[in-house]
Amino acid sequence: MATRQVGLTETVLRDAGQSLIATRLPYDKMEPILDKLDSAGFYSLECWGGATFDVCLRYLNEDPWERLRKLRAGLPNTKLQMLLRGQNILGYKHYSDDVVRRFVRASVRNGIDIIRIFDALNDVDNLRVAIEETLAAGAMASGTISYTTSPVHTLDAYVAMVKELQAMGVSSICIKDMSGIMTPNSAYDLVSAIKDAVPELPLVVHTHSTTGTGFMTYLKAVEAGADVIDTAISPFSGGTSQPTTETMAVTLRELGYDTGLNEHVLYEIADYFKPIRNAYIDDGTLNPIALTTDASCLEHQIPGGMLSNLLSQLKMMNALDKYDEALKETPRVREDLGFPPLVTPTSQIVGNQAVNNVLAGERYKNVSNEVKGYCRGEYGKTPAPIKPEILQKVLGDEQPMTQRYADTLPTDIFEKAEAELGDRATCEEDVLSYIAFPQVAEKFFADRKEAQERVVAYSIKKVEE
């Protein structure tokens, strides 16, 4: 019997850093290890998308498109992967189809091979355009389930979603367990059900070590037929990040699976990242608590990032004494709103409303604009119907929309943005950055121009001398 292959996607350049150090790893700390990463034998390297785009522009003074091009040049033998929020692209609201298509094409043109495409509500209508354009651009589209549990998130419901994704032509299926709440038994059952339904599609499993189940979950997922798992090199693994790459590689090898990895190179990569990790601990960027296990999430099922947001909100309101109350209110709001998976942006929508309810002393007395938009249908179809009494309280006599929200958006957003920017934009990618994060991009363009002018002035001065 042939040895079954199991690929590993390394996340240190994206999700591991996003989970542990708020995506603050700059390109100059990636560059020296790119050759080792490229020779390790990974199925893919997740290196772009998620929060990287915003953080590059906002905090690191990097052009995210230029970072991608550099990564592509430094990793010629490895598939580069990004995370895309479907119709939300990399932001927190929906964009027009034209903008989504342009962004996908530009991502592939600048070096991306695999786009993992998810939607916070698992609404496949919010995935369709990005999937179509990814495939048309010649890249691999990984249709993604945002994993959660609720009375409506059953095996049958997930399999039905997978079949819809298969009909769209996806290259693979991904189970995205963003909270680390998928237990080993649940993983085995879900992977088995999906492999039975669509055996011809590669299946990827993504989890976090938050609750301590990650390693066990991966082993049971692989046993059930998973083809790829996401891991993080040891210095940036564990806690809110992924299970450890080296550990999974050795374990799978000893169990008779072929990962295709050069384990010696993995240890060299780990040695490189150890002092980088330690420096982030020393300067406070990496809170050691993020590296620990918090099993309570298995009970309340609230992601770690969402918990920190709740605490931050309450602290700003001098209401930390309301934390336990807000924690209890969160699942109630989630049920009211149709059991959305708790991932960006729905985690913020649910969490903020839970805090509003607790602080006001009355449920839905103060309703955020995001909750109003959610109830109107601006984020897509909810997994279960929103409770009628909540709809009435939030919208009054206004009726939720029945069509796809993106179909109501203007179709000339790109052209208008291009005109607004004028010569501040040097390429299509600049316009897309501006559409995604207008104020942040404008500041970045201004700083970039100022730096270029200083270089020109210095060069002229040297010539005159």
Side-chain angles (χ1 to χ4, degrees), residues 7 67 197:
R67 172 189 281 202

Side-chain angles (χ1 to χ4, degrees), residues 204-219:
V204 184
V205 179
H206 168 96
T207 193
H208 291 250
S209 296
T210 316
T211 63
T213 63
F215 290 100
M216 296 180 287
T217 294
Y218 275 159
L219 285 178

